[in-house]
Amino acid sequence: MGDMVVVRKEGLYCVPGDFYIDPWRPVPRAVITHAHGDHARTGSGHYLAAAPGIGVLKSRLGDISVDSLQYGERVTHNGVSISLHPAGHVLGSAQVRMECGGEVWVASGDYKVEPDKTCDPFEPVRCDTFITESTFGLPIYRWQPEQQLMDEINAWWRKNADEGRCSVVFAYSFGKAQRILAGLDASIGPIVCHGSVEPLNRAYRAEGVEIPPTVLVSDIDKAALRRALVVAPPSASGSPWMKRFGDYSDAFASGWMLLRGARRRRGVDRGFVLSDHADWPGLMSAIKATEAERVIVTHGSIPTLVRWLCQNGLDASGFDTEYGDEEEDESAPPAGAAASKEAAREEDNVEGAKTGAAGEQGRNADA
């Protein structure tokens, strides 16, 4: 048998199973690792995804034909046994395990190995071939413990609140925003969420994830905003929507904040290094835990990681994919009707301005 998974113009294709994994063009059958816009796109005939992420997937893609699998549950399609396993990236994120003819391949999608209260933890899956992302596939990328980071965010918020200044954190609406919310000290002040974030908060709460109470800016007294923390997508920066907050201090949460000059280029007061992707040690530990002899590297620092893996005795190569432009997904409200209505309400409440300003086209922007 040849390779179980190959790259076609539509996306990653499981040859014996006749289905695609996170296709970037419409296909008859798609298995989705998670609902970020660079991995879950509209137009396919039928979708399969992990049960915890179905609510978010539907809110983003609208009325789709979709089946769900519990983590570890198996189905067989065209002789290929398929199961989904936690990837630790965002709510409902999954690795796709495929077994056929005694051979096992795993496509990881995006993943991280650090603990995260908002999603199921990464589960190493034994396989012969492992398809791994490499968003932060350079040795310089090493994340600090999450609690230490959240302590820094809360201290910054508390200082601003004591000075009567609103705090605004720019973070991607799906995953990053909820992870920050779950670590906030709600005793400091009210928590405000942008209209693109709030519907996703509800999807997380529906899956049992504990997130503190949040409100829209239209539902809070102006005086209370001086002690508030606001969570908004990067596309809101510089938009008319921001005028509501008066004299505010802003911050950007991303793994890219580790790079010198990243905060200055973003034009924000603070940069918090927070990523939903594995850092270099995380990539190393995840790959080792699979015990795979062959590794295929996708989006990110492909040449560096391939070279390192080859030097360490593995059969490594790369796949060219179209993943990584999640920032495009932040320039518009989610596809669900309720979400669109909520985002529109936000826009109408600020001088009739629209918040859907064109998002910056940045690589790997859900990082």
Side-chain angles (χ1 to χ4, degrees):
M1 185 177 72
D3 284 352
M4 193 182 302
V5 177
V6 298
V7 180
R8 288 186 170 181
K9 67 180 185 298
E10 298 87 356
L12 300 185
Y13 178 64
C14 178
V15 179
D18 189 26
F19 60 84
Y20 289 81
I21 303 162
D22 295 347
W24 41 84
R25 291 178 180 81
V27 298
R29 301 189 68 87
V31 179
I32 302 300
T33 63
H34 65 287
H36 273 143
D38 57 330
H39 289 258
R41 308 191 188 197
T42 59
S44 290
H46 186 270
Y47 296 83
L48 177 69
I54 292 295
V56 174
L57 188 64
K58 286 183 175 180
S59 78
R60 306 204 111 199
L61 299 189
D63 186 18
I64 57 173
S65 171
V66 59
D67 286 332
S68 66
L69 281 181
Q70 296 295 333
Y71 288 131
E73 181 183 359
R74 293 193 182 191
V75 295
T76 301
H77 183 71
N78 288 351
V80 177
S81 174
I82 306 167
S83 57
L84 304 177
H85 304 264
H89 178 56
V90 292
L91 179 66
S93 60
Q95 304 169 80
V96 183
R97 182 188 185 276
M98 297 154 282
E99 182 173 359
C100 183
E103 189 174 359
V104 177
W105 283 51
V106 170
S108 67
D110 290 335
Y111 66 91
K112 70 174 181 293
V113 300
E114 288 80 15
D116 179 349
K117 294 182 289 188
T118 66
C119 64
D120 290 276
F122 177 85
E123 175 189 303
V125 181
R126 171 72 181 86
C127 58
D128 301 297
T129 300
F130 183 54
I131 303 174
T132 180
E133 63 139 313
S134 60
T135 304
F136 291 101
L138 293 173
I140 61 168
Y141 292 111
R142 298 167 188 267
W143 311 142
Q144 67 189 109
E146 181 178 292
Q147 188 56 56
Q148 181 181 333
L149 177 68
M150 290 310 307
D151 289 345
E152 291 178 7
I153 292 175
N154 283 317
W156 169 75
W157 176 20
R158 185 177 292 105
K159 181 177 184 295
N160 289 333
D162 289 346
E163 294 173 356
R165 183 182 300 113
C166 181
S167 302
V168 180
V169 178
F170 296 114
Y172 299 100
S173 299
F174 171 37
K176 189 75 60 63
Q178 291 73 35
R179 192 173 170 197
I180 290 171
L181 290 168
L184 292 178
D185 179 359
S187 69
I188 298 173
I191 302 171
V192 178
C193 285
H194 186 272
S196 66
V197 176
E198 192 60 27
L200 292 161
N201 294 345
R202 289 197 288 270
Y204 269 68
R205 292 183 182 113
E207 288 297 324
V209 179
E210 291 188 12
I211 292 176
T214 54
V215 296
L216 294 172
V217 66
S218 53
D219 297 329
I220 185 172
D221 182 79
K222 186 174 182 179
L225 284 175
R226 289 198 291 269
R227 291 197 64 86
L229 183 134
V230 179
V231 178
S235 59
S237 178
S239 73
W241 185 77
M242 296 298 300
K243 294 179 181 178
R244 178 68 66 94
F245 306 113
D247 177 27
Y248 62 85
S249 178
D250 57 3
F252 191 85
S254 170
W256 303 115
M257 289 295 110
L258 189 64
L259 297 176
R260 182 177 299 175
R263 187 188 72 184
R264 174 177 48 80
R265 287 191 294 273
R266 281 284 176 179
V268 292
D269 299 327
R270 286 290 300 267
F272 293 113
V273 182
L274 178 66
S275 178
D276 287 327
H277 295 261
D279 59 4
W280 178 261
L283 290 169
M284 295 299 103
S285 66
I287 292 168
K288 182 178 181 180
T290 68
E291 300 182 22
E293 295 182 355
R294 183 183 180 193
V295 179
I296 300 174
V297 182
T298 69
H299 57 302
S301 305
I302 296 176
T304 300
L305 187 53
V306 167
R307 185 168 58 251
W308 175 267
L309 294 173
C310 288
Q311 289 172 351
N312 284 272
L314 293 177
D315 176 7
S317 58
F319 268 167
D320 247 348
T321 69
E322 296 186 14
Y323 306 133
D325 289 324
E326 176 61 24
E327 211 159 306
E328 297 175 22
D329 202 41
E330 295 294 345
S331 65
S340 297
K341 188 180 296 182
E342 196 131 32
R345 178 185 172 195
E346 290 267 289
E347 295 165 359
D348 291 342
N349 273 319
V350 185
E351 303 171 5
K354 293 184 178 180
T355 62
E360 298 170 354
Q361 304 300 306
R363 66 171 186 151
N364 300 307
D366 68 318

